[in-house]
Amino acid sequence: MTEGKDIADPEEPTDAGDRAGLAARFPAGVLTTDPDVVAGYAHDESRLSRRSLPWAVASPANTEEVAHCLRLAAEAGIPVVVRGAGSGLSGAANAPTGSLVLSTHRMTSILEIDTTNRLAVVQPGVITGALRAAASEAGLFYPPDPGSVAFSTMGGNVATNAGGMCCLKYGVTGDYVIGLEAVLADGRVLRTGRRTLKGVAGYDLTHLLVGSEGTLAIITEITVRLLPAPARASTMVAMFASLSDAGRAVAAIGEDAVDTSMLELLDRTTLGAVERKAHLGFDGDVAAALIVQSDALTSADELAAAEAACRRCGATEVVVSSDPDEADLLLQARRLALPALEALGDCLLDDVCVPRSRVVDLVEHIQRVGVEEGLEIGVFGHAGDGNMHPTIIFDESDDASRTAAMRAFDSITACALRLGGTVTGEHGVGRLKSAWLLRELDPVSAEMHARVRHALDPQGLLNPGCLLPG
Ligand SMILES: Cc1cc2nc3c(=O)[nH]c(=O)nc-3n(C[C@H](O)[C@H](O)[C@H](O)COP(=O)(O)OP(=O)(O)OC[C@H]3O[C@@H](n4cnc5c(N)ncnc54)[C@H](O)[C@@H]3O)c2cc1C
């Protein structure tokens, strides 16, 4: 980790006269430089990531206005950061000094739900939960469900290739994206992909843009495929007397090829924090819980197999339910994990992913680091994917505590790489992990990243400092 605290970029002098002239050339009603508004667009939900005050916020309503804004920014050489809901956790939507933030909050139309071809076309500012609801009304299913499903945008989800709780069975956002419209840094409009079930013509530019964190182009329209609605899910909670036992059970469920649509882990610290917030009746003696769901037609058999695997690994109690209200309560508990931990102090959230077979090694390392650094670390995450969110609780006003938190963060991220994993499973690289990306990539791959970026954005104006170090 390269950042010490919520760091501001150095001030860059700007010519106020030039900027006023430039502002006047934006489409009517699109630009604001009101300092109170602009300040609200300086950073996302991450901690200890580089951020600063942008110059202005543009809120275009359509592709043409996005292109107009980008042409003006390119002409004036102003960096542009596109922003969805700002719910990101890696500093990817943080603004560089004097930049233009381009917000998609006026681009919120669901343009099409096509039941015959099972696809949807949306503008980037559509909230993911709204698309899921619209698909469901049409008898279809848009699977990706990040914890932020109620407030994050489709544009943000595509640009971070967001995951969520059902990736184990259904994959990540990018697995559903089949076509995009995007505006390049110079204002040209690009269409990628297709509307057909199959299609292999040319380079896969669609998936080059997926996960590009606003560094290659601004996405203005998204085409996703939809699935038939799944069967009603059954849910199980298994309690363990140690975090390591829960980690072993994750591997065992995988080994037994159980058809699960969700496999989430919460440790004692997280369960305690959730309990204090929501009073769901979790026992304070439980060291870890696994929430397991199956939406297979054979869900009863699948959960019986999952229960057997958990008991083999030392589960102290297992409760199975096919009641959708009970399942909702459990999912609510899981979605509360981060906000509940945030009530315990300042939180530095990590996001690492290891092979499922190594989850136990990862959680044991996290526990050791917590003891060594004298820090409480809440552990929760999508254990079935090997994607964990160790959350380091620290005191930002105390230098020693902050330094210890950063050491713990670095140690956990390094451990994930050693275990054959990756530095980010779903939150993205952003500004928080740009140095870590270079540790994960081999030198040739790192060079290709830089070349691709230069090819699409030769002036380097799109989200500078994000993904690759500035
Ligand atoms: C409580 C909570 C729970 C969360 N749970 C999850 C989870 O389970 N899984 C998960 O993956 N993430 C999760 N997140 C993180 C976050 O919600 C996701 O990263 C989400 O995809 C960000 O969407 P956004 O609209 O807020 O994007 P922003 O934060 O605004 O932007 C994120 C990145 O996308 C870029 N971007 C945004 N719109 C566009 C566009 N139109 N074109 C090009 N680039 C664009 C931005 O420049 C930035 O680089 C969670 C966050 C919170 C606060």
Side-chain angles (χ1 to χ4, degrees), residues 3 86 185 246 252 277 321 337 467:
E3 317 301 358
K277 219 174 164 74
S321 171
L467 209 115

Side-chain angles (χ1 to χ4, degrees), residues 30-183:
V30 161
L31 194 81
T32 178
T33 54
D34 177 339
D36 289 340
V37 177
V38 166
Y41 286 81
H43 60 86
D44 66 7
E45 292 290 319
S46 60
R47 300 296 297 267
L48 304 188
S49 56
R50 188 173 288 280
R51 76 273 308 272
S52 195
L53 269 187
W55 158 62
V57 177
S59 307
N62 53 46
T63 305
E64 192 37 58
E65 288 186 350
V66 172
H68 190 146
C69 294
L70 284 181
R71 279 195 297 271
L72 291 177
E75 201 183 291
I78 295 175
V80 178
V81 177
V82 56
R83 179 185 176 100
S87 73
L89 294 165
S90 68
N94 288 5
T97 309
S99 56
L100 173 69
V101 173
L102 196 146
S103 166
T104 58
H105 74 261
R106 290 175 64 211
M107 302 179 75
T108 56
S109 296
I110 296 177
L111 301 169
E112 190 182 348
I113 303 267
D114 175 343
T115 52
T116 308
N117 294 301
R118 290 191 189 152
L119 57 82
V121 184
V122 298
Q123 286 192 307
V126 166
I127 302 298
T128 310
L131 172 60
R132 280 170 61 94
S136 170
E137 259 172 47
L140 293 170
F141 180 39
Y142 175 67
D145 65 339
S148 53
V149 65
F151 48 88
S152 63
T153 66
M154 284 298 294
N157 285 188
V158 173
T160 56
N161 200 2
M165 292 202 267
C166 67
C167 302
L168 178 60
K169 178 162 180 174
Y170 291 104
V172 293
T173 300
D175 293 320
Y176 295 86
V177 181
I178 58 173
L180 294 172
E181 177 193 80
V183 183

Side-chain angles (χ1 to χ4, degrees), residues 236-242 245-246 248-249 253 286 288-290 306-319:
M236 176 187 111
V237 191
M239 261 69 92
F240 296 85
S242 88
D245 285 350
R248 270 191 290 281
I253 291 170
V286 172
L290 289 181
E307 175 174 353
C310 288
R311 292 210 183 271
R312 221 164 56 230
C313 297
T316 51
E317 197 185 340
V318 178
V319 182

Side-chain angles (χ1 to χ4, degrees), residues 150-276:
F151 48 88
S152 63
T153 66
M154 284 298 294
N157 285 188
V158 173
T160 56
N161 200 2
M165 292 202 267
C166 67
C167 302
L168 178 60
K169 178 162 180 174
Y170 291 104
V172 293
T173 300
D175 293 320
Y176 295 86
V177 181
I178 58 173
L180 294 172
E181 177 193 80
V183 183
L184 296 173
D186 61 10
R188 282 181 298 160
V189 179
L190 162 81
R191 275 205 168 267
T192 73
R194 56 193 161 84
R195 286 175 61 99
T196 51
L197 210 55
K198 295 166 71 184
V200 294
Y203 294 136
D204 189 350
L205 296 183
T206 304
H207 290 96
L208 178 65
L209 297 187
V210 170
S212 63
E213 302 186 13
T215 63
L216 299 181
I218 293 186
I219 297 162
T220 47
E221 191 183 286
I222 301 156
T223 304
V224 291
R225 66 191 180 93
L226 302 173
L227 299 185
R232 197 163 95 176
S234 297
T235 311
M236 176 187 111
V237 191
M239 261 69 92
F240 296 85
S242 88
L243 187 54
S244 301
D245 285 350
R248 270 191 290 281
V250 170
I253 291 170
E255 256 162 44
D256 292 357
V258 184
D259 184 351
T260 47
S261 48
M262 183 188 302
L263 178 43
E264 298 288 312
L265 182 150
L266 298 91
D267 77 339
R268 188 197 308 274
T269 305
T270 313
L271 286 168
V274 168
E275 188 55 33
R276 275 194 284 281

